[in-house]
Amino acid sequence: DEFKVPREQMLKGLDMLVGHASRIARDRDIGAIDMFGDAGDESKIKLPNVPPWTASEKLQREYQAVGFYLSAHPLDEYHSVLEKMRVQNWRDFERAIKAGASAGRLAGTVTMMQERKTKKGKPMGIAALSDSTGQFEVVMFSESLAAFRDKLQVGQSVVVLIKASRWNDDVSLQLQSVNSLESEAQKVQKAMRIYLRNQEPVASIAQQLKQNGDGSVSLIIVQNDGEREVEVDLGKRYMISPQVASALKTVNGIVDVELI
């Protein structure tokens, strides 16, 4: 980020950058002089054009690289949706358990999934999930493991129903149900507004939007430096969610995307 160049461009051009740095070092070692200027002039490097990463892809790559989410959390863009869904965060649910709660509905991004055997040789699973307030682990026994393992892929964000048991200071969390956060979010999002200054992004918007959903979409054309706005309702129903909004924000020419 310190180079002020998109990460995806730098990653795609990494071999080029390493080769360029090696040539500079070699030329300096042998005393070579560039008659047109410093051999290290960054203007000589033209990084490849690549599609921009969505916010969720950027965060997932951070986690793969350093083992935690660095610049934000994947659930941050779902904050208003989770409030509508009345989903608890881990910190609040942990407090509720200590006060006597035995079940809760939480959202989390899967960071680890393991399968093992119980003492009796039956299959069981342990999944670690993370939200913006902390990390928690849930246990699945044979039936629930068979039912939910495909929905608990690392990097996926889900909504889970959990049964909690407490012995002294130890808490055991048993998984009761799992649903995709994206699909659950689509049920509560009613409308999306896409702000743009001209018609150039319209073709890209059409490619991103999927019909047969429950949400309405309107284009807000911003004119005269924001002094005037023209709203165009697309008329059909689309699948809308924070993930869709995040993908649209990467489209050149889109000023903002607002979920309602």
Side-chain angles (χ1 to χ4, degrees):
D1 292 343
E2 292 295 322
F3 289 99
K4 309 302 180 187
V5 175
R7 298 180 188 182
E8 55 270 27
Q9 278 192 285
M10 293 193 69
L11 186 62
K12 187 70 174 179
L14 189 58
D15 290 343
M16 182 192 307
L17 292 167
V18 171
H20 187 75
S22 297
R23 288 193 296 274
I24 292 173
R26 181 198 60 206
D27 291 346
R28 285 178 177 168
D29 287 344
I30 65 176
I33 299 175
D34 185 348
M35 64 182 295
F36 296 106
D38 187 354
D41 184 359
E42 65 273 12
S43 65
K44 294 183 179 181
I45 305 175
K46 183 172 178 60
L47 291 173
N49 291 320
V50 294
W53 290 343
T54 63
S56 59
E57 184 179 4
K58 175 182 175 181
L59 292 172
Q60 192 56 37
R61 287 176 178 268
E62 286 182 359
Y63 193 90
Q64 292 170 351
V66 299
F68 55 90
Y69 299 111
L70 190 63
S71 57
H73 191 280
L75 298 191
D76 287 351
E77 61 185 351
Y78 288 87
H79 178 71
S80 61
V81 178
L82 293 174
E83 286 187 342
K84 291 179 182 178
M85 295 166 58
R86 297 186 179 179
V87 172
Q88 292 177 278
N89 62 48
W90 166 243
R91 183 170 54 200
D92 290 343
F93 183 55
E94 189 176 27
R95 291 174 183 156
I97 294 172
K98 294 177 180 178
S102 59
R105 190 164 178 251
L106 292 80
T109 301
V110 181
T111 59
M112 180 274 292
M113 176 65 184
Q114 292 182 347
E115 295 188 26
R116 58 183 68 171
K117 299 287 186 181
T118 65
K119 292 180 180 179
K120 295 182 179 180
K122 294 184 178 182
M124 67 170 291
I126 299 176
L129 296 101
S130 165
D131 71 7
S132 58
T133 68
Q135 184 161 305
F136 55 98
E137 292 187 352
V138 295
V139 176
M140 293 157 283
F141 295 104
S142 55
E143 289 186 6
S144 56
L145 176 62
F148 304 137
R149 62 156 61 93
D150 292 342
K151 296 181 179 181
L152 292 169
Q153 303 297 317
V154 172
Q156 293 295 310
S157 294
V158 293
V159 177
V160 295
L161 181 63
I162 293 174
K163 179 181 178 182
S165 303
R166 185 180 178 189
W167 292 277
N168 298 323
D169 291 332
D170 295 327
V171 175
S172 174
L173 304 177
Q174 188 172 336
L175 194 60
Q176 303 293 298
S177 69
V178 182
N179 289 294
S180 162
L181 175 56
E182 183 70 4
S183 62
E184 293 296 298
Q186 290 174 8
K187 296 176 184 177
V188 298
Q189 296 288 191
K190 301 302 181 183
M192 180 166 64
R193 292 174 178 165
I194 304 172
Y195 293 82
L196 55 158
R197 298 190 189 282
N198 52 53
Q199 65 182 17
E200 289 183 11
V202 171
S204 297
I205 293 170
Q207 291 176 351
Q208 294 278 2
L209 292 177
K210 295 181 180 179
Q211 295 185 28
N212 301 322
D214 297 322
S216 64
V217 176
S218 58
L219 304 182
I220 311 294
I221 304 170
V222 181
Q223 299 178 334
N224 301 331
D225 294 326
E227 292 182 2
R228 183 170 181 264
E229 293 182 352
V230 178
E231 183 170 359
V232 180
D233 191 325
L234 297 189
K236 298 178 180 179
R237 293 290 173 175
Y238 298 88
M239 298 171 62
I240 61 175
S241 70
Q243 190 172 29
V244 174
S246 178
L248 284 168
K249 287 179 181 178
T250 67
V251 175
N252 287 332
I254 291 182
V255 178
D256 195 15
V257 181
E258 180 185 21
L259 288 167
I260 303 171

